[in-house]
Amino acid sequence: MKKKINKPYIIAETACSHDGSVARLKRMINASFKAGSDAIQFQVWNAENMVTVNNPNLNKMKKLEISYKNWRQIFEYTKKKYPSLEIIACIYDLEALEFTNNFGANAFKIHSSDLGNKELLNRVSKLKKRVDLSVGGSTVKEISKALKILKKNDVWLMYGIQSFPTDPKNINLNKIKLYEKKFNKNVGYQDHSPTNMYAYLIPCASIGNGTCIIEKHITDTRERKGTDLESALNFKEFKNFVKCIRETYASLGQRKISKLNKMEEAYRIYSKKKIYLKKNLNKNYILKKSDIIIR
């Protein structure tokens, strides 16, 4: 049975927006915490473990990667400075899993590219930590097979279209509720909307639809020619984003009809009409409908 989440859980996804810079990533960590995030997500990988030597992106990825020595420093920095900020390690191989587990990751994210990676799934299943299973572009059969391996783990399914940025018409938020019902798991929304009003509207619509787990990309600036910027919000925007999510959730209120609150009572006194007499009447006067007004 899934453990019900009763308030928004916001994940700041750093992805590769750091462009290999530890200093830039630390600024992103600072901003994520100050914005009010619940967790920060790091993508930890080694380029040679990710792609073949013939892949045209190999050299670019080598420039983006952060060494395990520096990742240890980043994990220690985050835990020491912001102990309440959970760390989610998005890992793609056994080596990264072992390192980030030793570094003290609170949870692991398995990318949708690894839904069929039984070796990785079997190893992470033995660790008593939450697993966020990304299901973008995956079939129900693939998700079911992965969940069988992770049957003893606390698993959150993470749904989102990995198109940067994603056209809102292709998002299909209703899939989240369908997955929740089918798999009996908490399902989060990974947003990759354009960085205009949709960056706020679509995740807030997801909150209104009953989703509590929201993942959003953060970056220092979109002005430079960097990586993973198409759907990432800068520090000021991300702070406003977190505020929008939390206030949208607060606006939902209770899921039952309850007594009027103080504001409703005050509005009632201000607005409700009452019955008055048109004029003063003598004792024993027989009241007629025409003597009454409603104001």
Side-chain angles (χ1 to χ4, degrees):
M1 293 295 289
K2 67 178 181 181
K3 299 175 183 177
K4 188 171 178 60
I5 300 171
N6 296 315
K7 60 180 181 179
Y9 182 92
I10 300 172
I11 303 167
E13 164 66 284
T14 60
C16 294
S17 292
H18 50 71
D19 283 304
S21 168
V22 172
R24 182 177 290 122
L25 182 52
K26 284 183 177 180
R27 291 197 295 272
M28 293 162 67
I29 296 166
N30 297 341
S32 298
F33 177 80
K34 290 174 183 177
S37 301
D38 297 284
I40 190 160
Q41 188 160 278
F42 301 134
Q43 292 190 12
V44 182
W45 44 266
N46 176 286
E48 292 180 354
N49 292 342
M50 287 283 282
V51 297
T52 65
V53 293
N54 297 320
N55 191 295
N57 293 314
L58 178 60
N59 288 332
K60 179 184 177 181
M61 291 178 70
K62 283 185 174 181
K63 292 178 182 178
L64 295 176
E65 79 177 29
I66 292 176
S67 69
Y68 286 121
K69 179 181 178 181
N70 283 335
W71 273 122
R72 180 184 291 278
Q73 177 193 339
I74 290 162
F75 274 63
E76 289 174 350
Y77 173 85
T78 307
K79 285 184 166 294
K80 183 177 180 180
K81 197 164 184 181
Y82 308 113
S84 64
L85 188 65
E86 289 196 335
I87 298 175
I88 303 169
C90 181
I91 47 91
Y92 298 83
D93 57 68
L94 294 175
E95 184 179 73
L97 175 61
E98 298 301 332
F99 271 102
T100 55
N101 187 47
N102 291 333
F103 295 165
N106 299 101
F108 299 104
K109 181 178 180 181
I110 302 296
H111 194 271
S112 60
S113 59
D114 281 306
L115 236 63
N117 188 341
K118 291 184 179 180
E119 185 180 37
L120 182 60
L121 292 173
N122 278 314
R123 180 67 189 101
V124 79
S125 73
K126 293 177 171 59
L127 303 175
K128 295 180 179 179
K129 293 181 180 180
R130 192 187 78 237
V131 178
D132 296 354
L133 194 65
S134 184
V135 296
S138 302
T139 65
V140 168
K141 187 176 181 180
E142 288 170 333
I143 299 168
S144 298
K145 283 184 176 181
L147 287 175
K148 281 184 180 178
I149 298 173
L150 301 170
K151 60 186 176 183
K152 293 184 179 180
N153 298 79
D154 178 17
V155 178
W156 291 357
L157 300 181
M158 298 299 295
Y159 171 76
I161 305 296
Q162 269 72 13
S163 172
F164 302 91
T166 306
D167 186 331
K169 294 191 293 293
N170 296 326
I171 292 173
N172 194 2
L173 291 177
N174 286 324
K175 241 184 178 181
I176 294 173
K177 303 307 290 183
L178 294 172
Y179 282 159
E180 280 186 351
K181 185 176 181 180
K182 180 165 186 62
F183 298 110
N184 192 30
K185 298 290 182 184
N186 289 302
V187 182
Y189 171 55
Q190 306 168 110
D191 185 67
H192 302 106
S193 300
T195 55
N196 52 23
M197 64 178 182
Y198 293 118
Y200 306 89
L201 290 178
I202 304 298
C204 285
S206 183
I207 289 287
N209 200 34
T211 307
C212 276
I213 307 160
I214 303 290
E215 178 189 304
K216 185 65 182 173
H217 283 245
I218 186 171
T219 187
D220 56 341
T221 176
R222 292 189 299 276
E223 300 304 313
R224 61 185 173 82
K225 292 183 179 179
T227 312
D228 285 335
L229 305 180
E230 296 90 346
S231 59
L233 299 179
N234 65 35
F235 297 162
K236 183 178 179 180
E237 291 167 337
F238 196 87
K239 187 173 183 178
N240 288 333
F241 170 82
V242 172
K243 185 178 180 182
C244 283
I245 292 295
R246 299 210 185 279
E247 291 192 356
T248 297
Y249 181 80
S251 74
L252 297 177
Q254 299 178 333
R255 294 183 179 272
K256 61 180 180 180
I257 299 175
S258 56
K259 292 181 179 180
L260 301 180
N261 61 35
K262 290 182 179 180
M263 292 184 67
E264 289 172 316
E265 288 286 1
Y267 179 69
R268 178 183 180 83
I269 293 169
Y270 165 77
S271 66
K272 292 294 184 181
K273 291 183 177 181
K274 297 179 178 65
I275 298 174
Y276 295 93
L277 297 173
K278 284 184 178 179
K279 59 183 178 180
N280 293 330
L281 301 174
N282 296 325
K283 187 178 180 180
N284 296 325
Y285 175 84
I286 298 175
L287 198 65
K288 299 189 294 289
K289 185 178 180 181
S290 59
D291 297 319
I292 294 172
I293 58 172
I294 299 176
R295 296 289 185 269

